[in-house]
């Protein structure tokens, strides 16, 4: 399905600023749809042919829809768009006309012109039309709640026609919550409550206010209820800002163990401030879960920190034991174990500083590569570099992969290059400087990794499946077992040795259960 921007750019000559304004309307118009008990369709005139194109649609959560089928992308003309043409040409809200039928559903048409205010605050030209279509099949005598909803909807509709709705979204606010059904409070120009929905009344009761809200000064009430005086002042000031015609950011109020989110919107049809609309939502359970997640994340980070410390202790004990061993072979084996334990500790160190069970792996690879050149038992100085990015990897992949890369890098440094004086050793004869390159890229939910050197290559009789030292045996076991991937050891096209790994990043349910 094409997006609003795609449709507008393809069929109209609207400016980018006009399209951005239409995006803002489509991002906040669920409020108007729910208050109106009606479907809203955003229509833009198609250049030069008298037709209109629907670029967005929203259905009400408070009433049945008038359209079972999606209308986005539909182009209509002729008598069917007469009401849209009047609103677009005359710049006024159109409410005349008899009900129309969509199949078996009777509906009432309305058309609201959409203006984008100019830089100096003046009303600009009409750039689109919002169709407000109400399903009349369930029409009944409206209750007090419905009358207040509809009155508020008419005020917001006039603000769309004036170009003052929706207000700009504040940084960090990614949702239009709270919504109409969560709780609605309407204020007069003095900040006194003229109506509060039952859900709004319940939300304030959770904060400790048992009386009816009608007649209360809401800004003062917020200051009285809040446990934190600064929080209460902010929530009260937000109400006052809306009464002045501003659109303040959302505020939270904590009282008696409950938390309520508030959003204050100015009501100023035709530019005249007549009060404010305050939407409220009880988010006590949401905040309780947030606190539980924060506690859980802190616990997990502490566990990783302790695992890292324990691994470093194990490495220190192995290093101490290696110094006391007389046999050179045993000392080498213990030192290799120290490096393997240290590489795993790197992953847990990174996890201890992260808020989730995933690590940014590039930094770990760079540290392992640097350590490999420093501790390798060789006289040759080898350059290390990384190409591409591993990205963020889950902990279960990162732990095994870091051990694999550690072994491959050490193996390349220690066995890939002849020592000084042997044939092929680097020197003045033009033999290139020793280098190892670690490359990584993602393709079709797989991580492709290669560790390539420009050394002497594999021995002629080398068996990739059975040959190699303990390090390569560990590598094969980890790649095929823990990582469920594949590895190939081969001579490079331009000399040297290349290890190629393919590691799946998305495991199926069967694999997860088997693991």
């Amino acid at each position: 399905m094409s997006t609003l921007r795609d449709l507008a750019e393809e069929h109209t000559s609207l400016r980018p600023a006009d399209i951005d304004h239409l995006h803002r309307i489509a991002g906040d118009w669920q409020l108007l749809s729910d208050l109106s008990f009606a479907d809203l369709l955003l229509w833009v005139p198609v250049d030069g042919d008298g037709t209109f194109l629907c670029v967005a649609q929203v259905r009400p959560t408070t009433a049945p829809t008038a359209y079972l089928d999606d209308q986005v992308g539909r182009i209509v003309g002729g008598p069917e768009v007469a009401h849209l043409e009047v609103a677009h040409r005359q710049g006024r809200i159109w409410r005349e006309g008899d009900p129309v039928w969509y199949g078996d559903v009777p509906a009432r048409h309305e058309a609201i012109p959409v203006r984008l205010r100019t830089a100096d605050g003046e009303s600009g030209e009409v750039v689109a039309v919002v169709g407000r279509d109400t399903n009349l099949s369930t029409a009944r005598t409206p209750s007090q709640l419905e009358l207040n909803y509809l009155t508020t909807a008419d005020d917001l509709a006039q603000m769309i026609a004036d170009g003052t709705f929706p207000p700009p979204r504040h940084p960090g606010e990614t949702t239009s919550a709270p919504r109409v059904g969560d709780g609605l409070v309407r204020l007069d120009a003095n900040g006194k409550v003229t109506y509060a929905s039952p859900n709004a009344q319940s939300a304030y009761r959770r904060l400790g206010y048992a009386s009816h809200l009608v007649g209360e000064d809401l800004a003062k009430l917020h200051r009285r209820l809040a446990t934190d005086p600064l929080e209460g002042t902010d929530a009260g000031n937000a109400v006052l800002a809306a009464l002045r015609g501003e659109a303040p950011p959302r505020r939270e109020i904590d009282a008696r163990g409950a938390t309520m989110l508030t959003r204050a919107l100015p009501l100023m049809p035709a530019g005249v401030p007549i009060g404010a609309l305050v939407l409220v939502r009880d988010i006590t359970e949401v905040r309780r879960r947030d606190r539980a997640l924060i506690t859980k994340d802190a616990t997990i980070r502490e566990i990783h920190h302790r695992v890292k410390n324990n691994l470093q202790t194990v490495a220190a004990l192995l290093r101490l034991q290696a110094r006391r061993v007389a046999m050179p072979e045993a000392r080498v084996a213990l030192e290799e174990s120290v490096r393997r334990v240290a590489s795993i500790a790197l992953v847990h160190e990174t996890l201890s500083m992260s808020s989730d069970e995933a690590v940014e792996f590039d930094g770990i690879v760079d540290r392992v590569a640097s350590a490999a050149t420093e501790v390798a038992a060789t006289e040759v100085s080898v350059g290390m570099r990384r190409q591409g990015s591993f990205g963020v990897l889950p902990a279960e992949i990162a732990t095994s992969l870091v051990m694999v890369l550690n072994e491959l890098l050490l193996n390349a440094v220690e066995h890939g290059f002849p020592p000084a004086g042997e044939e092929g050793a680097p020197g003045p004869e033009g033999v290139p400087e020793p280098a190892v390159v670690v490359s990584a890229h993602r393709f079709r939910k797989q991580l492709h990794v290669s560790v390539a050197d420009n050394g002497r290559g594999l021995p002629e009789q080398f068996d990739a499946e059975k040959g190699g030292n303990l390090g390569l045996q560990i590598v094969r076991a980890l790649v095929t077992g823990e990582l469920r991937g594949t590895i190939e050891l081969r001579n490079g096209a331009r000399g040297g040795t290349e290890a190629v790994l393919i590691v799946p990043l998305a495991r199926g349910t069967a694999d997860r259960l088997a693991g």
Side-chain angles (χ1 to χ4, degrees), residues 139-444:
R140 60 186 184 277
T141 303
S143 63
Q144 185 183 11
L145 178 145
E146 291 169 333
L147 288 173
N148 276 277
Y149 276 21
L150 292 170
T151 300
T152 306
D154 287 342
D155 292 335
L156 294 180
Q158 184 59 56
M159 291 172 66
I160 287 180
D162 298 337
T164 57
F165 184 86
R169 181 163 291 177
H170 295 273
E173 293 184 348
T174 58
T175 174
S176 59
R179 295 190 172 186
V180 170
D182 297 324
L184 178 145
V185 180
R186 182 170 174 126
L187 309 180
D188 63 18
N190 297 316
K192 300 292 182 68
V193 177
T194 59
Y195 176 76
S197 70
N199 283 347
Q201 192 71 52
S202 297
Y204 279 92
R205 189 171 290 113
R206 291 288 303 274
L207 296 180
Y209 184 76
S211 302
H212 204 279
L213 284 169
V214 172
E216 277 289 335
D217 186 315
L218 198 65
K220 294 180 179 179
L221 180 62
H222 284 178
R223 296 191 182 107
R224 292 202 312 267
L225 290 177
T227 302
D228 183 345
L230 180 59
E231 188 180 82
T233 299
D234 288 343
N237 289 342
V239 173
L240 297 177
L243 293 172
R244 293 193 301 267
E246 303 171 17
R250 295 162 179 77
R251 299 295 184 188
E252 291 184 13
I253 302 176
D254 288 285
R256 298 182 60 178
T259 305
M260 184 175 73
L261 177 65
T262 69
R263 183 191 186 195
L265 293 168
L267 294 177
M268 43 188 305
V272 179
I274 63 171
L277 173 68
V278 180
L279 301 173
V280 301
R281 180 184 180 187
D282 182 357
I283 58 170
T284 305
E285 186 64 19
V286 175
R287 289 295 172 259
R288 186 193 68 79
R289 291 176 182 174
D290 288 345
R291 289 190 290 269
L293 286 174
I294 291 173
T295 302
K296 179 182 177 182
D297 289 342
T299 302
I300 291 173
R301 288 197 297 272
E302 178 62 21
I303 290 172
H304 284 301
H305 179 71
R306 294 187 182 187
V307 170
K308 183 261 296 184
N309 289 344
N310 290 340
L311 289 171
Q312 289 178 337
T313 301
V314 171
L317 292 173
L318 290 173
R319 192 178 296 112
L320 181 63
Q321 186 66 41
R323 293 171 183 169
R324 293 171 175 257
V325 172
M327 295 178 59
E329 295 85 353
R331 185 182 301 110
V332 170
L334 287 172
E335 289 174 349
E336 288 180 350
S337 297
V338 169
R339 292 193 291 269
R340 288 166 185 145
V341 172
S343 66
I344 300 175
L346 272 179
V347 175
H348 287 280
E349 180 182 8
T350 306
L351 286 167
S352 70
M353 297 181 290
S354 173
S355 60
D356 54 24
E357 286 293 284
V359 294
E360 184 67 51
F361 202 69
D362 290 344
I364 294 177
V365 174
D366 294 342
R367 292 172 66 181
V368 169
S370 177
T373 60
E374 294 174 0
V375 304
T378 178
E379 300 176 357
V380 180
S381 177
V382 180
M384 290 277 188
R385 63 189 178 93
R386 172 175 53 83
Q387 291 181 340
S389 175
F390 287 81
V392 177
L393 296 179
E396 63 269 20
I397 291 179
T399 304
S400 298
L401 185 58
V402 73
M403 284 194 65
V404 169
L405 293 176
N406 181 59
E407 296 296 336
L408 291 175
L409 289 167
L410 284 171
N411 199 66
V413 173
E414 293 183 347
H415 304 291
F417 303 97
E422 289 190 12
E423 182 181 355
E429 294 81 8
V431 177
E433 290 296 321
V436 179
V437 179
V438 182
S439 303
H441 71 277
R442 299 188 180 211
F443 179 71
R444 293 181 179 176

Side-chain angles (χ1 to χ4, degrees), residues 39 57 59 64-71 102-105 135:
D39 292 75
Q57 176 184 4
R59 293 180 172 90
T65 180
Y67 299 97
L68 296 179
D69 298 326
D70 189 35
Q71 302 297 302
Y102 296 106
D104 297 330
V105 178
N135 185 331

